[in-house]
């Protein structure tokens, strides 16, 4: 494992050059890997493992996602099974169910976690808050995690493009003495770019904070606030959307993703530079207290409990679909549909 400098702080990372795919295959050559769940992360991780030459099967309840697995080439009775049968066959059980589904499926999985097996997660939620989830693994197994920093769709797309999505990794329980090599081999097998070390606790807290913050919750709140101010002051939907979202996602984000925010600033007009430098401070000062409040809520387990409570309601799916439909039907995202149609072909 190499030490890399991140802004003056050293962190442990593992690269594909250091731990090549051939080594990963050797480590897991006698293992049967069962991917449990075929929703968000399941397809990307299982297909990448299969394409990379690992012995992988899928465990999924019958329904839409089971049918999707069949469409993706998993064969019922050969590489596609019910959850319990897949868990029984596996030496490594990759629990890629949603956090809500883990709670209901855990009692069915636990009997098959026999001595020496490995239980794998891509999120620290169930283990970190196991006083709330009830997911307490046996002491005679490895409990490990590889958490790709993006969606399963991105993991698969980048894999097919010959690239890798960065992932964090953690060891919660090392019974066999092989937990680390199993973890890194799986991380390489699913198509990680590089892997950086964390803990189940840190991953769970940072992940929930990020999703509610800059990755999803805060960004929608920020974009909507600017869009509304422009619309309320007489700007058209097209102008408001282009100045709020389109320019950000299509022009500016690729610049600072490539070389940093300073480089993006340097490639904008002097008027834009001056305004950004003057206003980033007031935005920071206004947003940081909200971010701290969010972080405290996550760390205390309040956000986890809210998720558990809402996801366990019998009408949760219907309520969720209505909330997502309301978001889709909002003026800003209806304007987005028209803007996307007007983009040059290929964008």
């Amino acid at each position: 494992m190499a030490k890399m400098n991140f802004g003056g702080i050293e962190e442990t990372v593992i690269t594909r050059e250091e731990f090549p795919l051939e080594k990963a295959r050797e480590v897991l050559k006698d293992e049967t890997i069962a991917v449990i769940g075929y929703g968000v992360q399941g397809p990307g991780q299982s297909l990448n493992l299969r394409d990379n030459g690992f012995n992988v099967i899928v465990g999924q309840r019958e329904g839409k996602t089971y049918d999707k697995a069949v469409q993706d080439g998993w064969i019922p009775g050969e590489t596609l099974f019910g959850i319990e049968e897949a868990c029984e066959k596996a030496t490594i059980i990759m629990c890629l169910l949603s956090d809500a589904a883990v709670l209901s499926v855990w009692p069915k999985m636990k009997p098959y976690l026999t001595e020496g097996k490995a239980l794998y997660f891509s999120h620290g939620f169930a283990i970190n808050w196991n006083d709330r989830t009830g997911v307490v693994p046996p002491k005679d197994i490895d409990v490990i995690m590889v958490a790709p920093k993006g969606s399963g769709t991105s993991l698969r797309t980048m894999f097919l493009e010959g690239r890798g999505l960065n992932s964090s990794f953690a060891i919660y329980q090392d019974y066999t003495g092989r937990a680390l090599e199993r973890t890194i081999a799986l991380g390489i097998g699913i198509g990680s770019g590089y892997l950086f070390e964390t803990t189940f606790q840190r991953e769970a807290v940072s992940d929930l904070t990020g999703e509610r913050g800059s990755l999803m919750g805060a960004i929608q709140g920020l974009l909507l606030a600017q869009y509304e101010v422009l619309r309320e002051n007489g700007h058209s939907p097209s102008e408001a959307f282009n100045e709020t979202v389109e320019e950000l996602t299509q022009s500016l984000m690729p610049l600072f993703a490539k070389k940093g925010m300073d480089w993006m600033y340097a490639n904008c007009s002097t008027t834009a530079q001056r305004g950004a430098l003057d206003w980033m401070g007031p935005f920071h000062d206004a947003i940081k207290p909200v971010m701290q409040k969010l972080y405290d809520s996550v760390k205390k387990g309040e956000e986890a409990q809210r998720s558990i409570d809402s996801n366990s309601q019998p009408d949760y799916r219907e309520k969720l679909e209505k909330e997502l439909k309301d978001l889709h039907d909002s003026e800003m995202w209806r304007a987005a549909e028209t803007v996307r149609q007007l983009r040059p072909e290929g964008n």
Side-chain angles (χ1 to χ4, degrees), residues 22 29 96 170 175 187 198-199 202 227 229-230 259 270 302:
E22 293 73 20
K29 66 181 180 180
L96 299 181
Y175 174 78
T198 187
T199 66
R202 293 207 308 268
Y227 181 88
V229 167
L230 289 171
K259 291 191 178 180
T270 54
E302 293 170 356

Side-chain angles (χ1 to χ4, degrees), residues 41-59:
Q41 283 289 337
Q45 294 200 32
S46 62
L47 291 170
N48 290 0
L49 283 166
R50 186 177 71 184
D51 289 354
N52 272 334
F54 295 88
N55 181 24
V56 58
I57 61 176
V58 171

Side-chain angles (χ1 to χ4, degrees), residues 35-167:
V35 171
I36 307 302
Y38 209 75
V40 177
Q41 283 289 337
Q45 294 200 32
S46 62
L47 291 170
N48 290 0
L49 283 166
R50 186 177 71 184
D51 289 354
N52 272 334
F54 295 88
N55 181 24
V56 58
I57 61 176
V58 171
Q60 176 60 45
R61 291 171 292 194
E62 290 194 11
K64 286 183 180 179
T65 48
Y66 185 96
D67 296 340
K68 183 181 186 307
V70 173
Q71 291 170 8
D72 286 345
W74 301 100
I75 303 169
E78 292 185 22
T79 55
L80 177 60
F81 304 91
I83 288 174
E84 290 162 288
E85 188 175 357
C87 288
E88 184 177 21
K89 291 177 178 295
T91 57
I92 297 175
I93 297 173
M94 297 177 68
C95 183
L96 299 181
L97 298 156
S98 69
D99 294 326
V102 173
L103 272 64
S104 60
V105 174
W106 176 247
K108 298 177 183 177
M109 295 175 59
K110 191 172 182 180
Y112 301 102
L113 292 168
T114 51
E115 184 178 0
K117 288 192 177 186
L119 176 62
Y120 166 111
F121 292 93
S122 281
H123 188 15
F125 187 104
I127 294 292
N128 186 58
W129 289 294
N130 59 17
D131 58 328
R132 300 168 187 264
T133 65
V135 178
V136 179
K139 297 294 184 184
D140 58 357
I141 66 168
D142 294 342
V143 183
I144 61 180
M145 176 174 65
V146 177
K149 298 299 104 181
S151 71
T153 301
S154 299
L155 182 73
R156 181 62 176 166
T157 299
M158 292 174 75
F159 175 85
L160 293 173
E161 292 173 350
R163 299 186 293 148
L165 184 64
N166 300 331
S167 302

Side-chain angles (χ1 to χ4, degrees), residues 296-323:
D296 292 342
S297 180
V298 172
K299 195 167 185 180
K300 290 174 185 174
E302 293 170 356
E303 295 301 309
Q305 191 61 53
R306 186 175 290 116
S307 293
I308 292 168
D309 291 344
S310 62
N311 293 351
S312 61
Q313 293 175 4
D315 60 347
Y316 169 71
R317 183 57 57 182
E318 290 78 9
K319 288 180 177 177
L320 174 65
E321 287 175 358
K322 183 183 183 305
E323 288 179 292

